[in-house]
């Protein structure tokens, strides 16, 4: 339920949400829109995370180890930006 997620974002002061590389961003956009209607500043990270599958060739996440490093870097960069 989106309202429960918005409440969670508010309670824990979460201002950035991450999409997965192989999942549509539509549901995350709905979450962000709902949060903004409640006057919460929440944004979608510029880069998606790799979670269920490694990236394609030249993605910087071609294997499991590279995927973990890539995801950690994306998270760090997004949190610093806030």
């Amino acid at each position: 339920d989106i309202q429960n997620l918005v409440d969670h974002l508010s309670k824990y002061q979460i201002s950035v949400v991450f999409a997965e590389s192989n999942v549509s961003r539509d549901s995350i956009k709905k979450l962000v829109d709902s949060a903004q209607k409640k006057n919460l500043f929440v944004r979608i990270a510029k880069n998606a995370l790799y979670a269920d599958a490694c990236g394609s060739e030249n993605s910087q996440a071609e294997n499991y180890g590279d995927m973990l490093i890539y995801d950690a870097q994306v998270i760090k960069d997004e949190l610093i930006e806030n």
Side-chain angles (χ1 to χ4, degrees):
D1 168 57
I2 288 181
Q3 186 55 50
N4 287 336
L5 291 172
V6 170
D7 292 343
H8 184 85
L9 294 173
S10 177
K11 180 178 179 179
Y12 293 101
Q13 300 176 353
I14 297 169
S15 59
V16 62
V17 291
F18 297 87
E20 288 186 47
S21 62
N22 60 346
V23 176
S24 169
R25 291 182 173 224
D26 291 341
S27 59
I28 293 179
K29 287 178 184 174
K30 290 176 187 175
L31 173 62
V32 169
D33 289 344
S34 294
Q36 290 175 347
K37 287 177 184 173
K38 299 280 187 175
N39 295 320
L40 298 174
F41 174 76
V42 178
R43 64 181 180 82
I44 300 172
K46 293 176 198 146
N47 294 306
L49 299 177
Y50 292 96
D52 292 335
C54 294
S56 60
E57 188 174 338
N58 297 320
S59 67
Q60 299 179 331
E62 296 173 19
N63 59 58
Y64 187 73
D66 289 345
M67 180 181 76
L68 292 176
I69 292 168
Y70 174 86
D71 284 351
Q73 185 68 46
V74 168
I75 293 167
K76 179 189 82 105
D77 292 346
E78 290 291 341
L79 293 178
I80 287 172
E81 189 172 310
N82 275 337

